[in-house]
Amino acid sequence: MTEPNDKSRRGFLGAAAVGAAGLGVAAIAPGLHLIEVSQASAPGKGASSKVRWGMLIDTTKCASDCNACVKACNSENGISEVLKDPRQASQWIRKIDLKDAKSGITHSLPMMCQHCEHPPCVDVCPTHASMKRADGIVLVDRHTCIGCRYCMLACPYKARSFVHMTLTEQNPEVPRGQGCVESCTFCVHRVDKGQIPACVEACANAEHNAMLFGDLNDPNSAIAQRIAEVKTTQVRADLKLNVGVRYQGI
Amino acid sequence: MMIQQQTKTDDGAFYFALAVGGLISAIGIAAALYMEIMGHQVSGMNNQIFWGLPHVFGIFLIVAASGVLNVASIGSVFGKKAYKPRGPLSGLLAIVLLAAGLAIIMLDLGRADRVIIAATHVNLTSVFGWNMILYPVFFGLVGLYIWTLMDRSKNQYSKTVGTAAFIWRLVMTTGTGSIFGFIIARQAYQSAILAPMFIILSFAWGLAIFLVVQEIMYARSKMELHPQLRARMKNLLGVFIGAALYFVAVYHLTNVYYAKQFEFTHFILVSGGVFPLLFWGGFVLLGSVVPLFLLYAPGFSANKGSVTAASYLTVAGGLCLLFVFIIGGQAYPMDMFPGMQVTSSFFDGKIDSYMPSLPEILLSVGGFAIAFTMTLVGVRVLRFMPQDDVAKLQSAGYLHD
Ligand code: SF4
Ligand code: SF4
């Protein structure tokens, strides 16, 4: 298994050191991790609490037969393992087809970790492995996850997968591991480099432009302006988790 | 004064039982290691049903651990003389069942090798996190309690320590019930009634295990439990079984009342295949109605065999109930888009099925074997055998001639 020594990882730990939830993370292996934290605390690195990353999905533009976001996610994050039982395979993002039972109207949309402001997965995680960065991105520290799967029970969106087998081909920027739980990271390793998540890019390349990524806190951002203009929905808004992923058209 | 004496158990039988218990425990641990190395792909679990048979058995033992201590509490906290001599055995079983239950849960972790992280990085907003504190303190308190019971010079403290253990165990079972009770995401679990329901279930399951162990110990020592003592305890078991049935009924009735939970309850109780079968056939009929019949029907009730059979059935019924509760609760899809038909590559909107694989079965049974083996050793090295002073109980009016 590869040790995470990439920039995103450092950014992750830098943020962890800032956020109260992450204090525990920094203390696991003081020698190794504290060095990483000190490097990461350089100006401009690490997550800022001024930012709240979010996504807006326009389901009217999302095509039922398109899977570009899912494919892009899998290749970006090195999700290539094949399991005999497909129910055991990791799916960070999936396409859901909806049909209104009464009107018969159909929708298609991608579903992934909703990066909740009040994430139940973080509340229930016994080891602080599930954590929320200052910029709202919810991650699993795969070095402290004990694989109890309690977060899977708590997540209302079925957003988490448990790694059921030994992994061989990994993207060094995206540490994954057998026996740990994982979910969409909003491509944190790309976001920390100023890029957008791979799924959003792929959706645009496929000329659907159904996904918009940006800072919900910045009133001038495209996403904040769209949310101010059009009617958007939070899935299971009744739970009041104030999710970071919003849907339009359902 | 007539005190029944423990006769020496046959050495051969002891070592044979020890070997069998040890072997099944070892096979269970080996099965867990196999799952750890191969990954959970060799289990029947998946990304929808990710808590499987090991959780059913593990949580059963943890819940029963708290309930079995009831016997001791009735003796020292509530001063019932007939239960006093049973305090040490009750304490031993509490420790053993909790240890075995935790062993199953920990061995089933995706990264069992990191269990130390669970102890050093406790998240206190997590119910699992609380349990990291609740369980060790329980071990400590019960250990201390056994000591105050067995060491005559410390007897005077037994009531205080026993009361502390009694309260702690109620908190602990509340904690176990709350593992599910705080899960807002799922139809099955978010319910305030889960914590009290688990406490009542723990009383029934714990007492059933106690009665089985007690009868085996008496039989091995060629001793007879006084029939009136047995009658008292079997009546208590009957009350607990009835109360458990009542709480489970209330839990389902309140779920039916809330429109959102109606379909889920229908699934669990009517349409869900194996789940209604295990609920009605396993928990209600075999695990509750038949035991109640065996405990109260004239001609059966005072009989040693029927009390033991009722106890075994209570345990089996409890496992059925937890299977329905834990596995059924995950098999039923979460309702993310009310009023919509949902399909996806990730089996959204689909009822899932679960079949435990051999390693999971071996680990689960191995957990019971760990409890068995630890009990065997415990009663061998220390005097846990309940010694009834029949004459004293008679003069105190607890027993009649
Ligand atoms: S969607 Fe699920 S995994 Fe993502 S933050 Fe919310 S609860 Fe956690
Ligand atoms: S599986 Fe990992 S991330 Fe999820 S609750 Fe358990 S330790 Fe936390």
Side-chain angles (χ1 to χ4, degrees):
Chain A
M1 285 170 214
T2 54
E3 286 299 314
N5 53 1
D6 52 288
K7 271 194 206 134
S8 72
R9 182 75 195 169
R10 270 180 250 136
F12 169 119
L13 284 163
V18 176
L23 285 174
V25 176
I28 303 153
L32 170 72
H33 285 176
L34 285 177
I35 291 167
E36 288 184 314
V37 169
S38 65
Q39 285 172 343
S41 54
K45 293 269 170 69
S48 156
S49 60
K50 295 200 183 80
V51 178
R52 167 104 200 265
W53 294 118
M55 206 180 269
L56 176 62
I57 291 159
D58 185 349
T59 60
T60 60
K61 291 184 182 161
C62 178
S64 171
D65 57 354
C66 176
N67 221 13
C69 53
V70 178
K71 280 198 210 123
C73 175
N74 289 345
S75 77
E76 178 69 34
N77 294 300
I79 305 169
S80 57
E81 68 277 12
V82 181
L83 281 123
K84 264 189 247 123
D85 182 348
R87 297 175 304 168
Q88 292 178 331
S90 287
Q91 295 203 23
W92 290 17
I93 182 171
R94 63 196 191 267
K95 283 295 300 288
I96 290 188
D97 286 306
L98 298 176
K99 187 173 174 199
D100 193 309
K102 282 200 195 105
S103 64
I105 295 173
T106 59
H107 309 270
S108 184
L109 52 87
M111 172 57 66
M112 72 297 270
C113 171
Q114 304 285 291
H115 297 277
C116 311
E117 186 190 348
H118 309 291
C121 58
V122 171
D123 287 343
V124 303
C125 176
T127 65
H128 292 295
S130 283
M131 45 89 75
K132 187 175 66 141
R133 296 208 324 180
D135 57 7
I137 299 182
V138 175
L139 298 171
V140 179
D141 180 343
R142 88 144 183 81
H143 289 265
T144 40
C145 173
I146 56 174
C148 68
R149 287 103 80 196
Y150 197 13
C151 53
M152 298 174 77
L153 193 74
C155 171
Y157 306 97
K158 211 185 171 189
R160 296 212 151 173
S161 297
F162 180 61
V163 181
H164 283 75
M165 66 182 286
T166 312
L167 303 175
T168 44
E169 287 158 40
Q170 291 203 44
N171 173 355
E173 281 192 304
V174 186
R176 305 175 59 214
Q178 176 188 332
C180 295
V181 167
E182 55 185 19
S183 53
C184 156
T185 65
F186 262 172
C187 283
V188 66
H189 57 290
R190 293 168 59 104
V191 171
D192 283 346
K193 285 186 283 198
Q195 300 168 340
I196 57 171
C199 55
V200 179
E201 193 176 87
C203 185
N205 288 345
E207 291 177 357
H208 291 300
N209 291 308
M211 303 172 94
L212 182 60
F213 180 81
D215 178 6
L216 297 170
N217 282 351
D218 174 5
N220 298 319
S221 70
I223 187 169
Q225 290 183 348
R226 269 261 286 286
I227 288 175
E229 279 163 23
V230 299
K231 182 179 173 292
T232 58
T233 321
Q234 303 192 24
V235 178
R236 291 227 56 188
D238 58 315
L239 298 176
K240 300 196 171 60
L241 304 176
N242 191 20
V243 291
V245 179
R246 310 292 169 83
Y247 291 86
Q248 178 185 345
I250 49 168
Chain B
M1 194 165 79
M2 187 191 87
I3 294 183
Q4 297 176 357
Q5 280 301 327
Q6 184 176 6
T7 57
K8 203 169 180 307
T9 337
D10 171 18
D11 268 354
F14 168 77
Y15 286 111
F16 179 72
L18 190 66
V20 172
L23 185 68
I24 300 176
S25 307
I27 292 174
I29 293 168
L33 286 177
Y34 174 70
M35 264 201 294
E36 187 80 8
I37 293 164
M38 299 300 291
H40 276 62
Q41 58 175 327
V42 298
S43 78
M45 294 178 244
N46 58 55
N47 282 324
Q48 180 158 319
I49 299 180
F50 38 82
W51 281 5
L53 201 65
H55 289 80
V56 172
F57 277 63
I59 290 175
F60 178 85
L61 288 172
I62 291 170
V63 171
S66 133
V68 80
L69 195 64
N70 220 22
V71 174
S73 306
I74 296 170
S76 42
V77 181
F78 300 106
K80 295 272 185 263
K81 290 205 169 58
Y83 287 87
K84 261 219 160 111
R86 295 177 165 73
L89 178 60
S90 147
L92 171 75
L93 288 175
I95 289 180
V96 157
L97 296 180
L98 182 61
L102 288 177
I104 301 181
I105 301 281
M106 285 177 178
L107 285 167
D108 181 63
L109 291 176
R111 294 296 304 258
D113 54 318
R114 288 185 181 161
V115 72
I116 194 75
I117 291 179
T120 52
H121 286 74
V122 179
N123 171 11
L124 285 181
T125 59
S126 165
V127 181
F128 268 7
W130 306 349
N131 290 347
M132 294 298 164
I133 293 167
L134 293 173
Y135 296 147
V137 175
F138 182 79
F139 280 125
L141 273 178
V142 177
L144 204 63
Y145 181 44
I146 295 177
W147 184 31
T148 63
L149 288 172
M150 293 182 107
D151 180 347
R152 270 172 206 279
S153 67
K154 302 287 179 299
N155 268 180
Q156 71 217 68
Y157 304 112
S158 73
K159 184 159 183 169
T160 316
V161 182
T163 307
F166 172 71
I167 294 168
W168 198 260
R169 129 184 110 81
L170 293 183
V171 175
M172 193 175 88
T173 314
T174 307
T176 308
S178 303
I179 288 176
F180 299 97
F182 286 139
I183 298 299
I184 53 170
R186 290 171 187 267
Q187 290 89 331
Y189 299 138
Q190 194 200 10
S191 166
I193 204 164
L194 288 182
M197 182 179 104
F198 268 90
I199 289 179
I200 297 298
L201 289 170
S202 82
F203 288 178
W205 301 346
L207 185 56
I209 291 178
F210 184 89
L211 291 177
V212 167
V213 173
Q214 175 175 260
E215 289 293 0
I216 294 174
M217 286 173 71
Y218 272 91
R220 293 302 319 165
S221 310
K222 311 233 165 27
M223 282 166 54
E224 263 305 317
L225 177 62
H226 195 290
Q228 285 174 25
L229 286 175
R230 179 180 298 121
R232 275 174 176 271
M233 282 186 264
K234 71 105 187 158
N235 282 338
L236 191 62
L237 179 63
V239 169
F240 289 160
I241 293 172
L245 205 53
Y246 170 78
F247 265 85
V248 173
V250 171
Y251 161 70
H252 284 303
L253 284 173
T254 49
N255 272 357
V256 169
Y257 180 78
Y258 292 108
K260 257 202 288 186
Q261 266 107 322
F262 181 82
E263 281 176 29
F264 166 72
T265 308
H266 186 267
F267 167 75
I268 286 289
L269 300 184
V270 183
S271 63
V274 67
F275 301 113
L277 188 72
L278 286 175
F279 181 80
W280 295 107
F283 172 69
V284 176
L285 185 67
L286 286 179
S288 308
V289 175
V290 175
L292 285 174
F293 178 81
L294 290 171
L295 294 174
Y296 290 113
F300 284 99
S301 62
N303 182 316
K304 174 163 66 177
S306 60
V307 175
T308 305
S311 304
Y312 275 117
L313 285 172
T314 306
V315 171
L319 289 169
C320 289
L321 179 71
L322 279 186
F323 190 93
V324 172
F325 179 74
I326 296 173
I327 315 283
Q330 299 168 83
Y332 194 75
M334 282 187 285
D335 194 11
M336 269 184 269
F337 300 95
M340 302 267 200
Q341 290 163 8
V342 185
T343 46
S344 83
S345 62
F346 208 41
F347 311 95
D348 287 279
K350 262 185 90 169
I351 288 166
D352 207 340
S353 63
Y354 166 73
M355 180 56 83
S357 70
L358 185 63
E360 288 166 276
I361 296 171
L362 294 176
L363 169 59
S364 306
V365 174
F368 272 59
I370 290 173
F372 169 79
T373 313
M374 285 173 71
T375 309
L376 200 66
V377 173
V379 299
R380 176 83 175 186
V381 295
L382 286 171
R383 287 168 62 92
F384 283 108
M385 181 78 187
Q387 311 267 317
D388 291 312
D389 185 341
V390 174
K392 214 170 166 187
L393 287 172
Q394 272 167 348
S395 65
Y398 275 89
L399 300 174
H400 311 285
D401 297 319

